[in-house]
Amino acid sequence: MNKKLVRSWALYDWANSAFATTIMAAVLPIYYSQVAASGLDGSVATSYWGYTQSIAVLIVAILAPILGAISDYSAAKKKFLRFFAYMGMIASVMLAFVDSGEYLFASLLMIIGTVGFSGANVFYDAFLPEIAKGEDIDRVSSKGFAFGYIGGGLLLALNLLLIQKYEWFGLPSTSVGTKISFVSVGVWWFVFSIPLFKNIHEERKTTPDKHTSYIKIGFQRVGSTFKELNQYKQLLLFLVAFWLYNDGISTIIKMATSYGTSIGIGTSDLIMALLITQFVGIPFSFLFGWLATKISAKKALLLALYIYIGIVILGYFMTSALHFYALATCVGFVQGGAQALSRSLFGRMVPDDRHAEFFGFYGISSKFAAIFGPFLFALVGTLTGSSRLGIFSLVVFFIAGIILLTKVDVEKGEKEAQEATFEANATDVHT
């Protein structure tokens, strides 16, 4: 492995996790409920936040495979990564201009920022199988998530001080501290992305047809992949499993603070608990990377998902800040490990010449599926008037995902990818 390249790749996780922690999980959901949607009923504001998440991930789900196919064909993963990352950075800074009652503006910027964050991740993830091979892939993927916890946690800690101890920094109010925290996300994301943008390179594996538009090529390649999915039966089975359990994971990440607010947990407790999640996640991300080498990545991932079922049950009965701290700690145990091992397992079963395209499908399985978690949470809350039933409904995603994951044969999936790559290369040579 090129250690400098691995560090640069992992440092991007450090960079963009600022968006995941400060904007997605901790500060913006509270700011949205208390300021941007201040004229709305609490449960309505929570539902609108859920619908905002659903719209954002729907856009990403539609774009991801097309863009992935185009980037593989044109060797443009790096260009697409930069474009979407810059989109997310700019949207983060623009959130500083959201004032009381402007929930539509806040939702629009959150959608743009999420599209930027998630779109960039499609191409970032697609570089993983290129910088790490074999047994190294689990460890490198886990290292990325661990770096993400450190970077996201450090900035969240600083932003917590800006918001709660604003007078220490000569600021006039909590609101000003909150707005500065939004700006800090865009700046942090940009600065720590520079090493990856500078050091990552990719080889052109095809010769572009100058007479055909990239958009047409993208649709053609995605259509071809759909027709060929029967060659990747284990990968497809894994995608469906991931589609299910990751919906539960992403909904917990996105709706935790909004849910806590709706049942009366204070802002300080909510943010402090999420900060605990970040720093607990650092050693446990490395731990799951090590555990994968001892019992296999699949078994380590299943262990994490069983713990998630317990987390959902705890969330249903949660009534106090102490319970939320316990919930946040448990999430820290498994969140990074589950996501890192999912990414590396998928990367093992992807054909060598189509990383971005298949990670685009990975984006579909996570982003399109993630429409249903927040939507179900919001719908159950709207119909019953109880956010508790909304959080409990997530247990079905984990149970179904576990059942399908147990049926995935990873080694067979690796062989299927190798055979498909060999056949494609043989066809190219013949042509």
Side-chain angles (χ1 to χ4, degrees):
M1 288 189 303
N2 183 327
K3 293 183 178 179
K4 181 180 179 181
L5 183 56
V6 169
R7 285 195 299 270
S8 299
W9 183 84
L11 198 59
Y12 180 80
D13 225 322
W14 172 300
N16 77 342
S17 290
F19 184 86
T21 55
T22 294
I23 291 181
M24 278 186 166
V27 179
L28 184 58
I30 297 171
Y31 187 80
Y32 188 93
S33 297
Q34 297 183 352
V35 179
S38 57
L40 303 176
D41 180 75
S43 62
V44 174
T46 301
S47 294
Y48 281 6
W49 180 251
Y51 295 138
T52 297
Q53 303 301 318
S54 296
I55 292 170
V57 295
L58 175 61
I59 294 172
V60 175
I62 294 171
L63 289 177
I66 305 299
L67 294 174
I70 293 172
S71 72
D72 276 334
Y73 180 78
S74 61
K77 290 195 291 293
K78 182 177 178 178
K79 291 181 180 179
F80 280 106
L81 171 59
R82 294 181 72 156
F83 174 81
F84 281 98
Y86 288 153
M87 182 191 298
M89 295 169 196
I90 293 170
S92 300
V93 173
M94 289 296 294
L95 282 167
F97 297 96
V98 174
D99 291 315
S100 179
E102 297 180 342
Y103 62 91
L104 291 178
F105 185 35
S107 290
L108 176 62
L109 289 176
M110 182 59 188
I111 290 169
I112 294 172
T114 301
V115 169
F117 172 80
S118 302
N121 275 346
V122 169
F123 305 103
Y124 168 67
D125 290 342
F127 278 116
L128 174 61
E130 296 183 16
I131 66 173
K133 302 291 184 181
E135 295 181 356
D136 290 327
I137 196 170
D138 294 323
R139 186 161 49 86
V140 172
S141 185
S142 297
K143 183 176 183 178
F145 274 95
F147 268 49
Y149 277 120
I150 298 170
L154 286 175
L155 187 63
L156 181 57
L158 176 60
N159 287 336
L160 182 62
L161 290 176
L162 280 171
I163 294 167
Q164 296 189 331
K165 302 294 182 181
Y166 57 88
E167 66 276 6
W168 291 2
F169 302 89
L171 302 177
S173 66
T174 294
S175 178
V176 173
T178 301
K179 291 183 177 183
I180 291 176
S181 75
F182 295 147
V183 175
S184 74
V185 169
V187 174
W188 182 280
W189 191 349
F190 173 75
V191 170
F192 291 107
S193 296
I194 292 173
L196 180 64
F197 294 159
K198 180 181 178 181
N199 297 321
I200 196 74
H201 301 285
E202 56 188 317
E203 296 180 1
R204 184 182 298 279
K205 298 178 180 178
T206 59
T207 302
D209 182 353
K210 296 180 180 180
H211 302 290
T212 306
S213 72
Y214 279 157
I215 294 177
K216 182 178 180 180
I217 291 168
F219 277 102
Q220 287 176 341
R221 286 172 68 90
V222 169
S224 175
T225 300
F226 268 117
K227 294 177 182 178
E228 297 169 4
L229 277 178
N230 63 339
Q231 298 181 48
Y232 311 98
K233 294 179 181 179
Q234 298 304 313
L235 182 142
L236 182 59
L237 182 61
F238 175 81
L239 275 177
V240 177
F242 179 72
W243 187 87
L244 291 163
Y245 70 72
N246 192 64
D247 199 358
I249 293 174
S250 63
T251 304
I252 289 173
I253 294 171
K254 294 173 182 176
M255 302 302 294
T257 50
S258 183
Y259 171 63
T261 300
S262 72
I263 63 173
I265 296 175
T267 300
S268 298
D269 290 322
L270 290 171
I271 297 179
M272 283 299 296
L274 290 172
L275 193 58
I276 289 172
T277 298
Q278 290 301 115
F279 288 103
V280 169
I282 296 168
F284 277 90
S285 293
F286 284 116
L287 176 63
F288 270 92
W290 171 82
L291 193 61
T293 66
K294 300 300 179 181
I295 65 172
S296 83
K298 177 180 168 181
K299 290 180 180 178
L301 176 56
L302 285 168
L303 174 62
L305 298 181
Y306 286 127
I307 294 174
Y308 261 115
I309 292 177
I311 289 170
V312 171
I313 295 172
L314 176 61
Y316 175 80
F317 291 104
M318 182 171 63
T319 58
S320 67
L322 182 61
H323 292 159
F324 198 81
Y325 285 136
L327 183 73
T329 302
C330 291
V331 170
F333 290 161
V334 294
Q335 181 174 292
Q339 293 177 316
L341 295 179
S342 296
R343 180 168 63 186
S344 61
L345 280 171
F346 182 79
R348 290 182 178 186
M349 295 184 282
V350 170
D352 287 340
D353 58 341
R354 301 166 81 173
H355 290 153
E357 182 177 346
F358 273 79
F359 270 100
F361 282 102
Y362 187 75
I364 274 192
S365 65
S366 60
K367 302 302 184 284
F368 184 75
I371 297 169
F372 298 102
F375 183 82
L376 179 62
F377 182 101
L379 182 63
V380 171
T382 300
L383 295 176
T384 65
S386 171
S387 296
R388 293 184 185 279
L389 292 176
I391 197 73
F392 189 75
S393 66
L394 301 180
V395 73
V396 67
F397 292 110
F398 290 108
I399 293 174
I402 286 171
I403 292 171
L404 289 180
L405 183 60
T406 59
K407 300 180 183 299
V408 175
D409 186 329
V410 179
E411 291 184 359
K412 188 175 180 181
E414 291 178 295
K415 291 179 181 178
E416 289 173 349
Q418 292 170 0
E419 290 171 359
T421 301
F422 177 79
E423 289 177 8
N425 291 336
T427 301
D428 291 340
V429 170
H430 177 72
T431 301

